[in-house]
Amino acid sequence: MQESRLFKIVYYLLDKGKVTAPELAEKFEVSTRTIYRDIDALSGAGIPIYAETGRNGGIYLMNGFVLDKVVLSEEEKQEILTALQSINTIQSVNNSQTLQKLSAMFNINSENWLEVDFSRWGDKEYDNEKFELLKSAVVHCRNIKIHYAGSYGVTGERIVQPLKLVYKSKAWYLKAFCTEKQDFRIFKLNRILDLEVLNESFQHRNFPETANTSNEEYNQIILRFPQEMAYRVYDEFDKTQVQQDENGGLTVYANMPEDAWLTGFLLSFGTQVDIISPVYLKEAIAKQAKLIYEKNKS
């Protein structure tokens, strides 16, 4: 138990920098006296750990200290190498030298058995450049000006404070604070048509999980699909949203924004979807399909 706590104390100090003994005692649910004994044990084991008294004192590690490779288990070493070799997010990031160094350090010859590429099909150069610029802006807390295509076909410029890049449901998103709306927003990277990193910096803040990130209202949509569309249904919807009847038919219950994207999404199923609810959405899709027919019938 003590050995496990000693490692956790080192991890915690690497993450926090400097902490107090009472803070560590509360964190690991032991007495302050026990913490000081742990510090002595770590120092005796060769870990450069120091304790300073006084108003601005605390417990900290020597600058530049890193954990020795023996701290990692064989499984953890393999997981690190696999993570590096499997993620090919942007072409401008070359992991080969890093992999070689870590493989030599860990004494592991890791097989490259998996590749994950988040970029779109076709020329990846602009996506890679965009990702690299956004990553730099997030890390260095720099404002960016983006030319963004919104959900209702309106494009415009915004200045935002980029906080985090997120990959979710087959797409990259940017979590940010919009200076125009003075609120938190989520932007889809594919819809960022152009961006410029500005010289203005900002104070980093956490993106609240409960933030109202969109002006769109999400209402329940009920859709019906035949059995042969199961492959597409499970591509687009979580299984918890799908009910299958005894004949194999699929009914989907999902909360979705009723905007231009939804219209195009439903039209992509052609005649293989029946809109059960709401009725006005069914009528809107039928009207749009008729307009498409009239435009292309010649």
Side-chain angles (χ1 to χ4, degrees):
M1 178 64 184
Q2 183 192 18
E3 182 180 353
S4 174
R5 187 174 65 248
L6 294 179
F7 281 133
K8 290 178 180 178
I9 288 174
V10 175
Y11 294 145
Y12 193 73
L13 289 173
L14 284 170
D15 181 48
K16 300 297 183 181
K18 180 187 287 189
V19 298
T20 64
E23 180 181 345
L24 288 174
E26 181 180 359
K27 170 71 176 176
F28 298 105
E29 299 180 347
V30 295
S31 67
T32 303
R33 180 174 296 181
T34 298
I35 289 297
Y36 281 119
R37 283 200 298 264
D38 289 344
I39 299 306
D40 289 339
L42 287 169
S43 180
I47 303 296
I49 189 168
Y50 301 92
E52 291 182 349
T53 59
R55 183 177 179 181
N56 297 318
I59 298 168
Y60 61 95
L61 294 167
M62 182 179 68
N63 289 338
F65 171 75
V66 294
L67 287 176
D68 187 76
K69 62 182 180 179
V70 298
V71 173
L72 297 171
S73 68
E74 292 302 314
E75 182 179 357
E76 289 169 332
K77 295 173 187 176
Q78 185 64 63
E79 287 177 355
I80 291 172
L81 294 176
T82 300
L84 280 175
Q85 67 190 190
S86 66
I87 304 300
N88 183 27
T89 306
I90 51 176
Q91 197 174 34
S92 58
V93 174
N94 187 347
N95 290 326
S96 60
Q97 292 185 354
T98 305
L99 278 169
Q100 289 174 2
K101 291 178 181 179
L102 286 178
S103 294
M105 182 190 299
F106 295 160
N107 194 25
I108 292 178
N109 183 17
S110 182
E111 295 295 331
N112 192 352
W113 62 274
L114 174 67
E115 179 179 339
V116 180
D117 189 343
F118 291 117
S119 60
R120 292 177 287 186
W121 290 104
D123 186 1
K124 304 190 292 186
E125 184 175 350
Y126 178 66
D127 281 350
N128 296 342
E129 180 184 357
K130 182 197 301 182
F131 192 96
E132 189 70 9
L133 287 172
L134 287 171
K135 182 185 73 173
S136 177
V138 171
V139 171
H140 298 291
C141 295
R142 299 278 294 276
N143 286 355
I144 59 172
K145 180 166 66 176
I146 61 173
H147 187 209
Y148 190 72
S151 299
Y152 297 93
V154 179
T155 61
E157 288 188 346
R158 304 190 192 189
I159 294 178
V160 303
Q161 299 173 353
L163 304 177
K164 183 181 291 187
L165 288 164
V166 179
Y167 186 81
K168 183 176 178 62
S169 186
K170 298 181 288 185
W172 280 103
Y173 296 88
L174 173 68
K175 288 186 173 182
F177 182 83
C178 179
T179 59
E180 177 186 346
K181 301 294 185 182
Q182 283 297 296
D183 204 356
F184 296 93
R185 290 290 187 267
I186 296 179
F187 301 96
K188 193 171 185 178
L189 259 61
N190 288 348
R191 296 182 184 176
I192 297 178
L193 307 180
D194 291 293
L195 72 91
E196 176 186 355
V197 180
L198 305 177
N199 290 326
E200 306 161 4
S201 60
F202 62 91
Q203 188 70 32
H204 178 75
R205 65 183 90 189
N206 292 324
F207 190 94
E209 296 301 322
T210 57
N212 179 18
T213 57
S214 174
N215 294 323
E216 301 168 347
E217 294 185 2
Y218 288 72
N219 299 317
Q220 187 182 66
I221 310 296
I222 304 177
L223 309 171
R224 175 76 177 168
F225 298 91
Q227 182 179 11
E228 56 267 27
M229 290 299 291
Y231 75 97
R232 177 82 189 279
V233 169
Y234 289 112
D235 270 351
E236 305 290 352
F237 301 99
D238 186 87
K239 67 178 183 179
T240 60
Q241 299 173 302
V242 182
Q243 291 185 3
Q244 186 172 19
D245 61 30
E246 58 184 12
N247 297 320
L250 303 166
T251 303
V252 172
Y253 301 84
N255 293 325
M256 306 178 75
E258 296 181 31
D259 55 16
W261 173 86
L262 180 61
T263 301
F265 175 70
L266 294 177
L267 285 170
S268 71
F269 289 96
T271 60
Q272 299 299 307
V273 60
D274 186 12
I275 302 170
I276 306 301
S277 175
V279 175
Y280 62 81
L281 180 59
K282 186 183 186 78
E283 295 170 350
I285 296 298
K287 180 179 179 180
Q288 188 66 27
K290 184 177 180 180
L291 290 174
I292 294 173
Y293 169 75
E294 293 294 335
K295 183 176 182 178
N296 294 279
K297 65 179 182 179
S298 59

